[in-house]
């Protein structure tokens, strides 16, 4: 009996318990963050670049101060009013780690979901309007004419070899989304130049990371300069980016199309190419197996011969059209004849019928 009780208790403890969703916490208290004005280095303030006009460019970078707050996804993520109202945009101040509203915020306090498209493609994940061109310093919101998933990270303090710096950059930037690691567009570190390039799989994660890591530091108390990367001149990278955009477009089209329309298009294509499809719409081989999508996939031609006619008795092709094509044309002609025989005959309009007399409406040219 003791053994049975022990096993029952063990089974009960092994059942996983689902944690309930928690409300988002307030990252800062009102008045906790000290607001610091930008030192004036000119006579006019440029609202497009958010800086004073005039002065030396290097002085502008040296005037940067480290951000007082930083977002912690594990601690700060949670439910807000946006989860009930249906707002899909993220909170900009949540990304910067300084939202004082918490669960009362009208924007999401989570990472952007790459699978959910935003209502307006001309806005970023924070509902800010994009522009036609990038700023000269590649800062700001970005451009709606290009999907940019790569960030430029400057002013990195290198204390070791390239692989060590790469590990540090990945550890800090993977918190904001999945980083793309492929043969031609991995994370790249320009050693001895204090520069790195990070490419995310989703543009939304790149937008979030740009704001989350602006004026932050890695492991050596530096102040990072995070901005959009310019287009890679490497032709291999351009070709890969083109293929990625085509795949994303195809997936978006398939997600919005009716499955019945896709099935009908496959059937029409199979009929044009003389293939046969199974119940799931896949191309069948001659032995009844489903063929693959590769270039060497085998296909079986449709047999339009009657069931009582053997394959050897099929007429040989004569002229330009093959026997299968002729049988197919006969088949569709028979279907058309049957539809024409059962079609209702047209009756002349009833001029004495009550109503507005719309049946008599027409043009004088029709007589």
């Amino acid at each position: 009996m003791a053994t049975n009780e022990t096993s029952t208790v063990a089974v009960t403890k092994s059942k996983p318990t689902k944690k309930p969703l928690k409300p988002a916490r307030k990252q800062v208290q009102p008045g906790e963050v000290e607001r610091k004005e930008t030192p004036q280095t000119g006579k006019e303030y440029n609202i497009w670049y958010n800086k004073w006009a005039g002065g030396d460019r290097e002085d502008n970078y040296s005037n940067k101060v480290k951000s007082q707050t930083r977002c912690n996804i594990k601690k700060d993520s949670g439910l807000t009013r946006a989860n009930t109202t249906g707002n899909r945009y993220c909170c900009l101040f949540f990304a910067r780690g300084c939202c004082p509203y918490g669960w009362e915020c009208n924007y999401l306090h989570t990472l952007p979901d790459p699978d959910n498209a935003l209502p307006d493609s001309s806005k970023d994940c924070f509902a800010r309007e994009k522009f036609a061109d990038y700023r000269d310093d590649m800062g700001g919101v970005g451009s709606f004419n290009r999907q940019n998933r790569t960030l430029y990270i400057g002013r990195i303090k290198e204390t070791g070899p390239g692989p060590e710096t790469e590990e540090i950059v990945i550890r800090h930037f993977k918190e904001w989304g999945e980083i793309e690691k492929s043969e031609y567009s991995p994370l790249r570190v320009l050693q001895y130049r204090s520069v790195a390039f990070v490419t995310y799989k989703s543009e939304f994660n790149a937008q979030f990371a740009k704001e989350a890591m602006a004026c932050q530091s890695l492991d050596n108390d530096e102040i990072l300069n995070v901005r959009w990367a310019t287009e890679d001149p490497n032709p291999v990278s351009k070709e890969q980016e083109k293929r990625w955009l085509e795949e994303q477009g195809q997936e978006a089209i398939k997600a919005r199309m009716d499955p019945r329309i896709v099935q009908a298009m496959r059937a029409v294509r199979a009929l044009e190419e003389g293939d046969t499809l199974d119940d799931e719409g896949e191309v069948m081989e001659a032995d009844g197996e489903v063929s693959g999508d590769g270039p060497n996939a085998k296909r079986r031609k449709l047999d339009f011969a009657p069931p009582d006619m053997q394959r050897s008795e099929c007429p040989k092709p004569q002229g330009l059209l093959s026997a299968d094509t002729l049988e197919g044309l006969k088949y569709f002609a028979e279907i058309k004849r049957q539809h024409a025989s059962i079609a209702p005959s047209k009756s002349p309009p009833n001029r004495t019928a009550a109503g507005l007399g719309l049946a008599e409406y027409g043009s004088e040219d029709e007589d």
Side-chain angles (χ1 to χ4, degrees):
M1 294 296 293
T3 304
N4 295 337
E5 292 179 358
T6 305
S7 60
T8 304
V9 172
V11 171
T12 305
K13 290 183 179 180
S14 62
K15 292 182 179 180
T17 57
K18 186 177 179 180
K19 295 183 180 180
L21 296 175
K22 61 178 182 179
R25 74 182 189 96
K26 297 181 178 180
Q27 294 173 304
V28 295
Q29 298 299 326
E32 182 178 346
V33 179
E34 182 182 358
R35 182 177 178 85
K36 296 182 179 180
E37 297 293 338
T38 305
Q40 182 174 351
T41 58
K43 297 182 179 180
E44 297 179 354
Y45 189 79
N46 191 325
I47 60 175
W48 172 251
Y49 291 96
N50 295 321
K51 65 180 183 180
W52 290 98
D56 190 13
R57 185 166 179 248
E58 292 300 327
D59 291 339
N60 183 38
Y61 284 115
S62 61
N63 290 331
K64 295 284 186 180
V65 294
K66 183 179 178 180
S67 178
Q68 304 177 48
T69 58
R70 178 168 176 170
C71 178
N72 189 327
I73 292 296
K74 292 183 178 180
K75 293 174 58 178
D76 299 337
S77 296
L79 297 174
T80 61
R81 290 179 178 175
N83 295 100
T84 57
T85 59
N87 187 1
R88 300 183 185 179
Y89 295 102
C90 299
C91 177
L92 175 62
F93 299 98
F94 162 73
R96 296 174 178 174
C98 59
C99 182
Y101 297 107
W103 64 271
E104 297 177 343
C105 185
N106 294 322
Y107 292 87
L108 294 175
H109 277 209
T110 55
L111 286 176
D113 188 359
D115 298 330
N116 292 335
L118 296 179
D120 190 352
S121 59
S122 64
K123 296 181 180 180
D124 66 353
C125 65
F126 303 109
R128 299 180 300 180
E129 292 283 350
K130 296 181 180 179
F131 300 92
D133 298 320
Y134 287 95
R135 294 188 342 192
D136 293 341
D137 59 355
M138 297 302 290
V141 180
S143 172
F144 54 74
N145 289 323
R146 175 189 168 204
Q147 281 197 6
N148 199 342
R149 301 177 292 128
T150 305
L151 297 178
Y152 166 94
I153 299 100
R155 293 184 164 266
I156 301 174
K157 286 186 179 180
E158 301 182 57
T159 58
E164 181 179 343
T165 305
E166 180 178 340
E167 187 274 331
I168 294 174
V169 174
I170 292 178
R171 174 161 44 86
H172 283 269
F173 278 84
K174 70 179 181 180
E175 182 179 3
W176 320 115
E178 188 175 0
I179 297 177
E180 183 173 299
K181 296 180 181 179
S182 61
E183 182 180 359
Y184 301 109
S185 60
L187 181 143
R188 290 162 293 177
V189 175
L190 304 183
Q191 196 174 7
Y192 309 120
R193 296 184 61 180
S194 304
V195 172
F197 295 91
V198 179
T199 302
Y200 286 91
K201 286 193 172 183
S202 172
E203 183 185 15
F204 300 147
N205 296 115
Q207 295 168 358
F208 194 97
K210 179 179 176 298
E211 296 296 334
M213 294 301 294
C215 296
Q216 299 288 348
S217 61
L218 300 180
D219 290 350
N220 301 304
D221 200 29
E222 66 266 62
I223 301 177
L224 297 179
N225 175 26
V226 183
R227 61 194 187 197
W228 295 111
T230 56
E231 188 175 1
D232 193 345
N234 188 352
V236 178
S237 299
K238 289 185 177 181
E239 184 64 24
Q240 185 188 22
E241 186 72 14
K242 180 181 178 181
R243 290 198 304 266
W244 180 84
L245 291 175
E246 291 177 352
E247 293 175 359
Q248 294 295 319
Q250 293 175 0
E251 293 178 0
I253 293 174
K254 289 181 180 179
R256 293 177 177 271
M257 287 184 64
D258 191 342
R260 295 173 296 180
I261 299 179
V262 177
Q263 184 67 17
M265 293 175 62
R266 288 181 178 176
V268 171
R269 180 176 298 177
L271 183 62
E272 293 176 350
E273 299 181 359
D275 300 333
T276 181
L277 303 178
D278 61 357
D279 296 337
E280 298 181 357
E282 299 294 339
V283 178
M284 297 289 293
E285 292 184 359
D287 54 359
E289 297 182 357
V290 178
S291 64
D293 296 332
N296 299 325
K298 298 180 179 179
R299 295 178 176 178
R300 187 180 69 175
K301 298 296 181 180
L302 289 174
D303 189 5
F304 293 101
D308 55 347
M309 183 182 295
Q310 301 296 329
R311 187 68 180 176
S312 59
E313 302 176 2
C314 293
K316 296 182 179 180
Q318 297 179 357
L320 298 177
L321 300 179
S322 63
D324 290 343
T325 305
L326 292 175
E327 292 295 334
L329 293 175
K330 293 179 182 180
Y331 173 73
F332 283 109
E334 181 65 21
I335 292 179
K336 183 177 180 181
R337 187 185 63 79
Q338 293 177 1
H339 280 281
S341 62
I342 63 176
S345 59
K346 297 183 180 180
S347 59
N350 187 8
R351 298 180 180 272
T352 60
L356 297 178
L358 296 178
E360 303 178 3
Y361 183 80
S363 175
E364 296 179 356
D365 298 336
E366 296 177 354
D367 296 338

